[in-house]
Amino acid sequence: MKRLQEKIMNRSLKSKWILAVGATIFISYAIISIVLYVALQTWLLNNEEKNAVRTVDDLTSFFETQSSTVTIQKLQNNSALMKAILTQEQTVRIFNLDGIEVLRINDVTAAADFPENGQNELPVITRQKIERTDAYVIHQFVQIGPFQGIMQLIHPLATFQSMMQYILTTIIIVGIGALLFSVSISYYLANVLIKPLAQLRDAMNLVRNNGFKAQPAFQYKAADEIGDLLQMYHLLMNELEMSFTQQQQFVADASHELRTPIQVIEGHLSMLTRWGKNDPAVLEESLHTSLVEITRMKKMIEELLQLARREEVDETQSADVEAVYERVQKELMQLYPQANFELNVIGQFELVAISEHALTQILRNIMSNGIRYNQLQPKLNTTIHYANQAITIKIQDNGIGIAQQHLPHIFDRFYRIDEARTNKISGTGLGLSITKMLVEKYKAEINVESIVNKGTLFILNFPKK
Ligand code: ADP
């Protein structure tokens, strides 16, 4: 059994499908046919038995209506009436009480056996084989005028048997036809449905061997589950290709950005080894620059790690925006004592659905940018608005602003506007991309509006806890 199961499991999907359909149809058809055949057989047999009994009853009534002087001889001479009561196949024999046949109507050769118990239990119905045909045989006492004897009715089941034979042949022929038909339909369907799966397997193999560019188009366009599967595969592959390309771009950008500080440090170190060792001013300046670059590199590596890390979002976390804001403001006041902060709160206090750590990073990045990209005395105006639908935080600075053409790119990794670079404002170009990543992770929104030389406004929309 186990071996058979293993054998079936190792067959192709097409064979399994056809086998399953064939077996299901065969078994259900066989069960229905057997039930129908047996029911029909019982019903018809019952009918035959009833017919035989009815004939016996009719004959008995016929004999009873005869005058008391009627004789067997008279009946034999006038057998037309009795023949009318019998069907063509039925035979009647009348015996005297000694078992000697005295009258026979219809078949001259038909001869049935007497019941084994003799005359003790009459009337009796038996089933016998007469001339290779089944028949019902009824034995009953009869009184014909003064004559007392036993009537034997032979009711052959030939019609019934040929009818059952005919039904059986029909069932078998129809069954074979239905089986062939269903197997060919399932073969066709299996072909139609399994073909795209085979194509999908080939497509996957092709991508595995030749990369994402080798994606073939599928011919199967139906809007069913298989069509969905193929479309899903295409979408998945496109997404994979996109993230693969992004990943490559990220690695390329990261190595490019890390190369600059390394080159600067390398330049200074080789200058020192050549002739700067004995010049304290050169030594001092080189060490300072190298330290600055190392700090920048360290920051960049930390930020890169942060971007690469895909932490799980904990949906149970929540943050108190005002408390987080206070902390970030305090931190920034120490770093930039010249900066000015103002906070407005509108509405009833509520918690925000984000971790305090993530919110701290978001506020720190936006607020420190407002201070750093600024040529005046930095002023940061923050509004926290607890509205019905969401909680909005607006951070307005009075900095150098961002030109329209740069606005769509400031959230890109390593994107720094030239002014930032030329004004030697230290940075990595990663702060806002980390901010955006965190904002999206917590299903929040970030928007930015800016006027050059006037300032920039960051608008954050957070879902409520
Ligand atoms: P970083 O500050 O490390 O360079 P960010 O991702 O935080 O990186 O910012 C990307 C760029 O967007 C900055 O280099 C700067 O040119 C510009 N920028 C961001 N915030 C402001 C702001 N408040 N005002 C002016 N320019 C900004």
Side-chain angles (χ1 to χ4, degrees):
M1 188 68 193
K2 219 170 170 195
R3 277 184 89 189
L4 181 75
Q5 209 176 356
E6 223 166 75
K7 233 177 171 180
I8 292 175
M9 285 320 282
N10 288 337
R11 299 300 294 265
S12 72
L13 202 54
K14 196 155 77 178
S15 322
K16 273 188 263 188
W17 184 321
I18 293 167
L19 204 71
V21 171
T24 314
I25 290 192
F26 177 75
I27 292 169
S28 1
Y29 184 79
I31 291 172
I32 293 172
S33 303
I34 290 170
V35 170
L36 272 182
Y37 185 83
V38 170
L40 202 67
Q41 191 183 40
T42 317
W43 184 78
L44 283 175
L45 260 183
N46 245 334
N47 251 7
E48 294 289 337
E49 193 181 323
K50 268 189 209 153
N51 284 345
V53 171
R54 199 180 309 124
T55 311
V56 169
D57 290 347
D58 289 350
L59 279 173
T60 315
S61 328
F62 171 72
F63 294 141
E64 277 166 8
T65 53
Q66 298 302 307
S67 68
S68 55
T69 54
V70 72
T71 59
I72 296 287
Q73 200 59 45
K74 266 189 195 164
L75 279 181
Q76 193 148 31
N77 294 341
N78 192 13
S79 65
L81 260 171
M82 284 172 72
K83 275 189 178 161
I85 293 172
L86 297 178
T87 61
Q88 253 178 7
E89 297 83 33
Q90 288 172 331
T91 300
V92 163
R93 296 162 79 198
I94 293 176
F95 301 88
N96 62 18
L97 290 176
D98 299 329
I100 301 186
E101 186 176 323
V102 291
L103 178 72
R104 176 189 281 255
I105 294 165
N106 274 354
D107 195 334
V108 253
T109 52
D113 301 328
F114 265 78
E116 276 167 20
N117 290 347
Q119 299 163 5
N120 302 337
E121 285 173 25
L122 296 186
V124 70
I125 301 178
T126 50
R127 198 159 152 188
Q128 298 184 22
K129 222 172 188 52
I130 298 167
E131 291 171 355
R132 272 181 282 139
T133 315
D134 271 353
Y136 273 131
V137 179
I138 302 181
H139 288 92
Q140 183 166 313
F141 282 116
V142 278
Q143 177 86 43
I144 307 167
F147 173 81
Q148 268 194 338
I150 296 162
M151 169 169 71
Q152 180 186 63
L153 175 83
I154 303 170
H155 178 91
L157 296 172
T159 320
F160 159 79
Q161 272 174 338
S162 60
M163 194 164 182
M164 288 321 289
Q165 192 70 41
Y166 177 76
I167 290 172
L168 190 68
T169 320
T170 314
I171 284 177
I172 291 171
I173 291 174
V174 171
I176 292 173
L179 194 67
L180 285 179
F181 181 70
S182 60
V183 164
S184 27
I185 289 282
S186 66
Y187 179 79
Y188 169 77
L189 267 182
N191 255 345
V192 168
L193 297 177
I194 286 164
K195 210 162 144 195
L197 289 185
Q199 278 177 1
L200 183 64
R201 179 201 55 205
D202 295 344
M204 283 175 171
N205 218 5
L206 209 65
V207 170
R208 205 181 74 170
N209 293 332
N210 305 336
F212 290 109
K213 291 278 167 278
Q215 270 199 68
F218 298 111
Q219 284 125 30
Y220 194 86
K221 297 276 182 252
D224 54 14
E225 284 83 347
I226 290 189
D228 282 354
L229 179 74
L230 299 182
Q231 214 179 346
M232 218 41 155
Y233 169 78
H234 264 315
L235 289 177
L236 196 71
M237 279 298 147
N238 288 345
E239 260 176 43
L240 269 179
E241 185 184 2
M242 219 157 72
S243 84
F244 183 67
T245 324
Q246 273 175 356
Q247 211 77 290
Q248 275 184 327
Q249 187 64 39
F250 180 63
V251 172
D253 288 349
S255 7
H256 176 82
E257 292 292 325
L258 283 171
R259 196 182 295 140
T260 318
I262 289 173
Q263 277 170 344
V264 173
I265 296 168
E266 193 185 25
H268 278 278
L269 288 180
S270 52
M271 186 172 74
L272 282 182
T273 45
R274 255 181 282 139
W275 44 269
K277 260 181 289 190
N278 304 321
D279 187 338
V282 173
L283 187 64
E284 174 72 26
E285 209 225 299
S286 293
L287 286 179
H288 175 73
T289 318
S290 299
L291 266 177
V292 168
E293 289 302 325
I294 284 173
T295 314
R296 203 165 86 85
M297 215 156 67
K298 200 175 132 197
K299 186 165 187 265
M300 196 184 286
I301 289 168
E302 271 164 14
E303 288 182 334
L304 279 173
L305 279 174
Q306 208 176 345
L307 269 175
R309 222 182 287 136
R310 290 251 158 237
E311 281 166 38
E312 284 289 307
V313 177
D314 182 354
E315 302 209 330
T316 57
Q317 285 190 331
S318 58
D320 173 342
V321 195
E322 290 170 47
V324 171
Y325 171 84
E326 293 292 337
R327 266 205 304 276
V328 175
Q329 182 196 327
K330 240 184 224 161
E331 196 183 287
L332 292 176
M333 266 161 79
Q334 284 196 336
L335 281 172
Y336 310 102
Q338 79 281 18
N340 238 317
F341 299 89
E342 205 180 298
L343 172 69
N344 283 307
V345 180
I346 308 168
Q348 197 65 36
F349 172 81
E350 271 181 86
L351 289 172
V352 178
I354 187 170
S355 76
E356 295 222 335
H357 177 71
L359 185 64
T360 308
Q361 270 186 308
I362 293 170
L363 293 187
R364 190 191 286 140
N365 283 346
I366 296 174
M367 287 167 76
S368 69
N369 277 357
I371 299 169
R372 289 187 301 128
Y373 300 108
N374 207 320
Q375 284 170 337
L376 310 168
Q377 188 203 2
K379 248 186 161 182
L380 285 186
N381 217 322
T382 306
T383 312
I384 301 171
H385 187 181
Y386 300 105
N388 283 340
Q389 311 297 327
I391 295 164
T392 309
I393 307 173
K394 290 182 180 172
I395 302 164
Q396 171 77 59
D397 65 49
N398 61 339
I400 56 173
I402 304 163
Q404 283 301 311
Q405 73 266 26
H406 297 301
L407 276 181
H409 306 293
I410 58 166
F411 296 105
D412 294 349
R413 284 161 185 173
F414 303 111
Y415 192 83
R416 304 201 72 210
I417 299 165
D418 286 343
E419 280 90 337
R421 291 184 196 268
T422 45
N423 285 341
K424 295 224 182 322
I425 300 170
S426 80
T428 57
L430 290 172
L432 285 182
S433 43
I434 292 173
T435 303
K436 175 112 180 169
M437 185 262 291
L438 290 173
V439 162
E440 283 176 352
K441 206 156 125 181
Y442 286 93
K443 300 197 170 56
E445 263 177 40
I446 184 164
N447 288 300
V448 56
E449 293 165 13
S450 188
I451 302 171
V452 176
N453 292 329
K454 275 230 138 157
T456 306
L457 170 70
F458 280 91
I459 306 164
L460 293 157
N461 272 311
F462 289 100
K464 284 187 186 177
K465 176 68 194 154

